[in-house]
Amino acid sequence: MTTDDLGGYEASQTTSPTYHAIAYLQLNGWRPGQDEPDPRPMPEGEAVVQAVADIFDAMVATLGDTRLEPDLEELLWGIGNLFHRAGARIDRQLDDNEQAQRRLQREQDGSEVKSVELERITAEGQTLVERRSAMEVFRDLSAEAFETHTGSAWRPRSGSMVNHRHLTAALVDSRDFLAAKRRSEAEVLMPEGPKIAFSGGLDFNDHRVVWDRLDQIHTKHPDMVLLHGASPRGAELIAAKWADHRKVRQIAFRPDWNRHKNAAPFKRNDAMLEVLPIGVVVTPGTGIQENFADKARKLGIPVMRIGGGA
C-alpha cells in the first residue's frame, strides 16, 4: 500500500504521550511524585563524609593565600548553616505532617480510602525524619571541618544544634510514630545527665576561673549537661567554649526578647531552673545573676559563686 492508494494521505508524525514519558525517563531517570513514596536509598555514610571533606578542602585550597582569604571563615561557616537551615525547613514540614496525621486519625471511618491516606502520610513522615537526620549529619560533619580549618567552634546563629538520629524509621503505626517523635524531641532537647546551670556577667572575662570551676564539676559529674544563657560575650560565652572543648553537652537558654521584652532574662532564669539543675554556678554580673541565685536558693539548689560576689 502506498500513499497514492490512500488518496495522498500520509500518517501523522506527531509523537504520542507514551513516547514523551519514555523519553523523559531515559533522559532524567524515574523520580517519585510529590505524593508518592520514595524508595531510593539515602547516601552512603562514607560518601557523605568524603563529600563534606572535599567541599571544605576545595574552598580552603581555592581561597587561601588570595585576597578572598579574609572572607574564608564566613564562607566556611555558611556551609554548615546551609545544612542547618535545610534541616530546620524539613523540621517544619515534619510538624505539618504531624498535624495531617492527627487530622486523618480523627477522620478514620473504617474506609479503605482514609486508611490508605493515613498510611501514605505516615510513610511520608518517616521519610522526612530520615531526611532531617541526614541534614543534621551533614551539618555536624561541617561543624567538625569548620573547627579543623578555623580553630573555632561552629554554632548556628539561630535555632538549636540538636540531633535526632536516634529516632528510627522502623515505625509503621501512625500513633506509635507520633509518640516516638514526641519522646525523641524531649530526649534530644533535654539530654539525660546531671544538669549544671551557669549564669555570668557580660563583662566577666576571667576564663581561667570559669574553666577551673567547670573542670572540677566535670570531674565529679563526667556526664553533666551544661545549661547557660548563650550571651554573646563574657562569662557565658567562656562557659560555652569550655563545653565545646571538653565535648560536654550544652543547652542554650536564649532570652526571648520579642515575647518578654525587658523581662526576658528573668523569664530565661525561670526556664533554666524549671529543669531542676543539681547546682548553679554564678559569676559577678548584674541583677540578672542575683535573681538567678536567689531563685535557685529558694528551690534548694546549691549556688556556687566564682570570681567574687555576684
Side-chain angles (χ1 to χ4, degrees):
M1 181 181 293
T2 66
T3 55
D4 292 337
D5 297 328
L6 296 174
Y9 172 78
E10 185 174 353
S12 172
Q13 299 301 312
T14 303
T15 53
S16 68
T18 303
Y19 170 84
H20 286 292
I22 294 174
Y24 177 85
L25 290 174
Q26 290 176 332
L27 180 63
N28 301 298
W30 177 80
R31 296 290 186 275
Q34 184 175 0
D35 297 330
E36 295 178 332
D38 193 341
R40 294 175 295 175
M42 298 297 289
E44 293 291 337
E46 293 183 2
V48 170
V49 172
Q50 189 61 51
V52 172
D54 289 345
I55 292 172
F56 276 81
D57 289 344
M59 291 292 289
V60 172
T62 303
L63 303 184
D65 296 326
T66 74
R67 276 183 286 175
L68 294 182
E69 188 170 7
D71 301 306
L72 181 58
E73 182 169 338
E74 181 68 15
L75 293 171
L76 295 180
W77 179 89
I79 296 172
N81 189 54
L82 176 70
F83 296 115
H84 179 67
R85 293 184 63 181
R89 172 179 51 79
I90 296 172
D91 203 36
R92 291 191 295 270
Q93 294 176 352
L94 193 54
D95 288 338
D96 293 339
N97 177 270
E98 178 177 348
Q99 295 304 314
Q101 288 190 46
R102 292 184 184 282
R103 175 179 56 79
L104 286 168
Q105 287 171 4
R106 293 191 300 268
E107 295 176 357
Q108 288 301 300
D109 55 7
S111 68
E112 183 178 358
V113 173
K114 292 291 186 181
S115 177
V116 170
E117 179 68 5
L118 179 56
E119 291 177 2
R120 184 187 67 79
I121 291 294
T122 302
E124 180 181 301
Q126 293 169 350
T127 295
L128 288 170
V129 167
E130 291 179 328
R131 288 172 54 199
R132 179 182 64 180
S133 296
M135 292 303 167
E136 289 173 351
V137 170
F138 273 106
R139 179 205 59 197
D140 293 347
L141 290 171
S142 297
E144 294 174 5
F146 178 84
E147 185 170 2
T148 298
H149 286 288
T150 68
S152 301
W154 187 93
R155 288 193 186 87
R157 291 170 185 166
S158 63
S160 300
M161 189 175 173
V162 298
N163 195 302
H164 302 79
R165 270 175 280 171
H166 63 285
L167 176 59
T168 70
L171 303 171
V172 176
D173 181 75
S174 174
R175 296 180 192 277
D176 288 345
F177 174 81
L178 294 180
K181 178 176 179 291
R182 287 193 298 271
R183 289 194 302 269
S184 174
E185 298 290 347
E187 291 168 0
V188 168
L189 295 176
M190 191 53 62
E192 294 183 0
K195 313 297 189 295
I196 301 296
F198 187 98
S199 180
L202 292 173
D203 296 324
F204 188 86
N205 293 306
D206 192 340
H207 67 277
R208 289 188 177 86
V209 170
V210 173
W211 279 52
D212 287 346
R213 177 51 61 92
L214 291 178
D215 277 340
Q216 293 171 11
I217 298 172
H218 190 218
T219 299
K220 187 176 181 180
H221 303 286
D223 57 341
M224 67 175 281
V225 179
L226 181 69
L227 318 178
H228 60 80
S231 296
R233 58 186 174 88
E236 291 172 4
L237 178 60
I238 294 172
K241 288 184 176 295
W242 171 87
D244 286 332
H245 188 78
R246 297 288 191 254
K247 307 302 181 185
V248 170
R249 292 167 298 174
Q250 57 180 306
I251 301 175
F253 286 75
R254 293 181 175 85
D256 190 343
W257 297 100
N258 292 331
R259 182 178 180 185
H260 300 301
K261 308 302 180 184
N262 292 337
F266 304 102
K267 294 289 187 181
R268 183 269 315 280
N269 288 350
D270 295 340
M272 273 202 288
L273 293 173
E274 284 178 3
V275 180
L276 295 179
I278 65 171
V280 165
V281 181
V282 178
T283 77
T286 65
I288 296 171
Q289 281 67 50
E290 280 294 347
N291 171 270
F292 191 58
D294 289 344
K295 288 179 176 178
R297 276 194 296 267
K298 290 178 181 178
L299 291 172
I301 300 172
V303 176
M304 296 161 274
R305 295 181 180 272
I306 61 176

